Structure formats: structure tokens, C-alpha cells
Amino acid sequence: MQFDSGTDILGVVDVQPTFMPGGELPVADGDAIVPVINRLLGRFDHAFATQDWHPADHASFASAHRDRRPYDTIEMPYGDQVLWPDHAIAGSPSAAIHFAIDQTRIEAIIRKGFRPTLDSYSAFFENDRQTPTGLEAWLRQRGFARLFLCGLATDFCVAWSAEDAARLGFSVTIIEDACRGIGLPTSEGRTSMDDARDRLTSLGVRFIDSGAL
């Protein structure tokens, strides 16, 4: 694949210890993507990153709701919300970008989910799908048009970021071997990974392996 250094950018989504083995909300095999992402960072001239960045009493935490457990779903003013274990506490070591990530080419870091009553999966909007993070304006001012996304988790923060990017008119590619997913069951025989892939494919999002680059 040919790159255009002026319009292509790598997005490194939530590659934080909190989402890796030993973290508060671990994604299976999540740490395996770090060397793949570092290879990608060596290929792209430009990159941005995101961080989940929650206050300790965030409304998306199961601990904030009486008689609720992690992975329960509740109705919030902005829609359905999965309740998570406490994770990505702002300022904590586990909320930092993973120490082994080469940040040399990461030109912007978007922190999301810092509003106490509003969760955020997407790099572009909080979960009300209206409150912007500012990433769209930054990308457009810099002239980027093709986004290549990697990180954690494929079926949540990566998927929501890809969906919003596609709806905003960007060309979007997910680099599958530089991601890992959670795979929550959604219906008989299906998981959140299946649902995310179907939804994104219908929007024109491409899935490739890093070897294709």
C-alpha cells in the first residue's frame, strides 16, 4: 500500500496498561499489540493517540451503582451504557500510554471520558454522540484524510472511533493484528466483535493486517 505522508495518519487508541493483562479492565492478549504498533509508528510520518481518562467516581463504573456488577447494562440519559470495572483513573500509572510505546511520532493525545457523568469510547465524540473531543478539527486543519486505526479494544473504542471517522467523511482502515477485542456476547452465537465488524464494513471501513502495509 502506498502512503501519502501529507494525508495519512496512524491513530493509536487507548494503548494503556489498564486494558492489558494485569490491568483493571484487561483485554486478552492486549499487550501483544505493542511491538506491532511500534513497527507501524516507524512506517507512518504522523500519529495521534487517545487515552481513557476517568475520575475515580465515574458514572460508567459498576462501583458507582448500587447492586450492579461489571458488564451489566443500564440506561443513561445518552442511551445504553455498559458498566465497567473501575479503570483508567486519571493520573494513575495504569492510565498512561504504555511505557513501551514509541511516542516520537505521536503529535497529539486526546483524553476522553473525563466528564464524570458521560462515558466516551470514540476518539471523536463522547457517548452522547454530540460532545466533540476536538480531534476532527485537528485532523482537518492538518489536512489528514486517511486514518489507520489500531489499539484497544477493537469492538469498543477502536470501533466507535472508526464509525465516527467514517461518518465524518474520512477514509478509515483498521489494522487488525494491532488490535485486540473484548467480545461480549450480544445475541445467540454473536459477540460485540461480530456486531462491530458488520456495522463498520457497511460504512466502508476496511480491515487489513499490518503485513499489507
Side-chain angles (χ1 to χ4, degrees):
M1 178 178 292
Q2 295 295 318
F3 289 115
D4 185 328
S5 63
T7 62
D8 293 351
I9 189 167
L10 180 68
V12 180
V13 177
D14 295 2
V15 181
Q16 301 165 265
T18 198
F19 297 120
M20 296 186 179
E24 297 87 354
L25 182 50
V27 178
D29 204 29
D31 52 344
I33 69 174
V34 172
V36 182
I37 291 173
N38 279 335
R39 289 196 296 272
L40 291 168
L41 285 165
R43 297 288 308 277
F44 284 83
D45 291 331
H46 308 283
F48 69 87
T50 68
Q51 284 175 279
D52 236 19
W53 198 253
H54 296 309
D57 57 350
H58 197 268
S60 70
F61 295 165
S63 63
H65 303 269
R66 185 186 297 273
D67 299 326
R68 291 290 187 172
R69 296 181 177 181
Y71 309 108
D72 286 351
T73 299
I74 65 169
E75 181 72 19
M76 297 286 277
Y78 51 82
D80 289 343
Q81 172 67 54
V82 176
L83 296 179
W84 305 106
D86 293 21
H87 68 280
I89 304 301
S92 69
S94 66
I97 293 175
H98 192 277
F99 71 92
I101 290 290
D102 179 5
Q103 297 189 43
T104 306
R105 293 185 179 175
I106 293 177
E107 300 168 3
I109 297 174
I110 302 295
R111 287 175 170 169
K112 56 192 181 62
F114 54 82
R115 294 173 175 85
T117 60
L118 183 57
D119 203 8
S120 182
Y121 300 155
S122 172
F124 292 91
F125 296 99
E126 306 284 0
N127 279 9
D128 63 357
R129 313 311 291 266
Q130 298 179 18
T131 304
T133 65
L135 178 59
E136 179 192 3
W138 184 83
L139 291 169
R140 295 200 189 282
Q141 284 190 320
R142 295 290 305 278
F144 297 116
R146 286 204 305 179
L147 275 57
F148 295 79
L149 298 180
C150 58
L152 302 169
T154 317
D155 41 342
F156 284 91
C157 294
V158 175
W160 283 51
S161 298
E163 179 176 354
D164 283 341
R167 292 188 186 281
L168 290 168
F170 294 98
S171 172
V172 186
T173 299
I174 290 175
I175 306 171
E176 290 193 90
D177 59 324
C179 300
R180 292 294 186 276
I182 297 175
L184 295 180
T186 57
S187 60
E188 187 174 351
R190 290 184 63 83
T191 71
S192 50
M193 288 285 288
D194 301 316
D195 293 350
R197 178 178 282 274
D198 289 350
R199 185 172 76 251
L200 295 174
T201 300
S202 72
L203 292 170
V205 174
R206 295 192 303 164
F207 290 80
I208 65 169
D209 188 89
S210 62
L213 300 173

